[in-house]
């Protein structure tokens, strides 16, 4: 993880000097992600039901089971986007240095932190970027849970800014590289980018709309995980 960062260090440092230069950092991050996946012996296969349009903002959401979710998301999506992620990852040497300067960090135990995340994400969307949120809020603690309940944040933001939601399903990341020590193996990572869910015309302040969006997107990802061969949650 560290070696390609060291090799690209001068370019990475320059790209984070100004917020408006983030798209240049994003290009380097995509190169880094592909090197990491290839170096770990992973190759990916993606089915796309719809293509993202250049210059358009989206809300990217997927299931979350592995550190490699970050790399795969970067490898698959060309539109510059910003991750909303847990602050604990900022402690990873070298990676954490860039992570905390380019991503929106959240302390899940703090309601104030969650509100600050909402405000920062709004700013990024206003700059024409997309946002990526793993709506489970983290990796499920219970191994028997195939897909945890979704939090509202991603769907509130999508409604607020009237941007499409892009559901994505990652089939094999946990099997390839899970959070369990010394587990995993090289091999195929399957992914599917589903048809986008439009939010234009929906009521921004309607909690029922948020709940319906949340459940529709979760069901799309859950059903795709079953199609990929996963067993239902216990």
């Amino acid at each position: 993880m560290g070696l390609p960062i060291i090799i690209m260090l001068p370019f990475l440092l320059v790209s984070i000097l100004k917020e408006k230069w983030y798209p240049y950092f994003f290009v380097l991050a995509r190169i880094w992600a592909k090197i990491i996946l290839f170096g770990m012996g992973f190759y990916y296969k993606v089915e796309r039901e719809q293509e993202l349009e250049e210059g358009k903002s989206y809300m990217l959401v997927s299931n979350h089971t592995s550190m490699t979710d970050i790399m795969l998301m970067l490898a698959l999506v060309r539109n510059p986007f910003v991750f909303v992620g847990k602050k604990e990852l900022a402690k990873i040497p070298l990676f954490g240095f860039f992570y905390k300067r380019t991503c929106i960090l959240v302390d899940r135990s703090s309601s104030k932190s969650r509100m600050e995340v909402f405000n920062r994400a709004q700013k990024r969307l206003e700059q024409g970027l997309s946002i990526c949120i793993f709506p489970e809020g983290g990796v499920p603690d219970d191994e028997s849970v195939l897909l945890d309940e979704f939090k509202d944040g991603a769907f509130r933001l999508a409604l607020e800014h009237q941007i499409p939601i892009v559901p994505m399903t990652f089939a094999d990341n946990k099997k390839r590289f899970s959070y369990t020590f010394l587990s995993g193996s090289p091999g195929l990572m399957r992914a599917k980018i589903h048809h986008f869910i439009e939010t234009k015309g929906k009521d921004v302040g309607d909690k029922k709309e948020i709940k319906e969006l949340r459940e529709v997107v979760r069901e799309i990802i859950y059903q795709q995980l079953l199609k990929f061969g996963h067993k239902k949650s216990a």
Side-chain angles (χ1 to χ4, degrees), residues 121-148:
Q122 283 185 314
K123 183 180 177 183
R124 289 302 209 171
L125 286 167
E126 287 164 2
Q127 293 170 344
L129 300 173
S130 295
I131 299 290
C132 174
I133 297 179
F134 298 110
E136 291 169 276
V139 176
D141 295 325
D142 188 345
E143 288 290 319
S144 66
V145 175
L146 177 59
L147 187 66
D148 214 340

Side-chain angles (χ1 to χ4, degrees), residues 145-165:
V145 175
L146 177 59
L147 187 66
D148 214 340
E149 296 301 316
F150 282 4
K151 306 292 189 297
D152 287 345
F155 310 99
R156 282 179 58 204
L157 272 169
L159 271 177
E160 180 77 25
H161 290 269
Q162 300 282 282
I163 57 173
I165 299 168

Side-chain angles (χ1 to χ4, degrees), residues 68-228:
T68 56
D69 297 340
I70 293 173
M71 292 77 161
L72 188 57
M73 186 70 74
L74 284 165
L76 296 181
V77 180
R78 297 185 184 91
N79 291 44
F81 65 84
V82 177
F83 282 107
V84 174
K86 55 186 180 181
K87 68 173 187 176
E88 290 85 356
L89 293 181
K91 297 176 182 177
I92 299 174
L94 200 56
F95 170 83
F97 174 83
F98 291 99
Y99 178 79
K100 66 184 177 184
R101 284 163 177 78
T102 56
C103 299
I104 300 171
L105 307 189
V106 58
D107 179 356
R108 286 175 290 170
S109 64
S110 168
S111 58
K112 182 181 177 181
S113 173
R114 292 197 295 271
M115 182 53 66
E116 288 174 353
V117 164
F118 193 79
N119 293 334
R120 288 189 65 194
Q122 283 185 314
K123 183 180 177 183
R124 289 302 209 171
L125 286 167
E126 287 164 2
Q127 293 170 344
L129 300 173
S130 295
I131 299 290
C132 174
I133 297 179
F134 298 110
E136 291 169 276
V139 176
D141 295 325
D142 188 345
E143 288 290 319
S144 66
V145 175
L146 177 59
L147 187 66
D148 214 340
E149 296 301 316
F150 282 4
K151 306 292 189 297
D152 287 345
F155 310 99
R156 282 179 58 204
L157 272 169
L159 271 177
E160 180 77 25
H161 290 269
Q162 300 282 282
I163 57 173
I165 299 168
V166 182
M168 303 171 69
T169 306
F170 296 162
D172 308 297
N173 293 18
K174 184 175 183 178
K175 177 182 177 182
R176 295 288 165 237
F177 193 78
S178 77
Y179 282 89
T180 304
F181 190 59
L182 290 178
S183 66
S185 63
L188 175 65
M189 285 179 164
R190 293 169 295 167
K192 182 165 183 175
I193 299 176
H194 302 275
H195 287 295
F196 308 159
I197 309 296
E198 289 294 338
T199 59
K200 283 186 177 179
K202 295 184 182 292
D203 187 348
V204 176
D206 190 341
K207 291 184 178 179
K208 185 179 178 182
E209 290 276 23
I210 295 173
K211 181 180 178 181
E212 286 179 357
L213 276 174
R214 185 187 70 205
E215 294 307 316
V216 165
V217 172
R218 185 182 181 277
E219 186 65 16
I220 288 170
I221 295 174
Y222 183 75
Q223 290 300 324
Q224 185 60 46
L225 286 169
L226 297 181
K227 290 176 183 177
F228 274 133

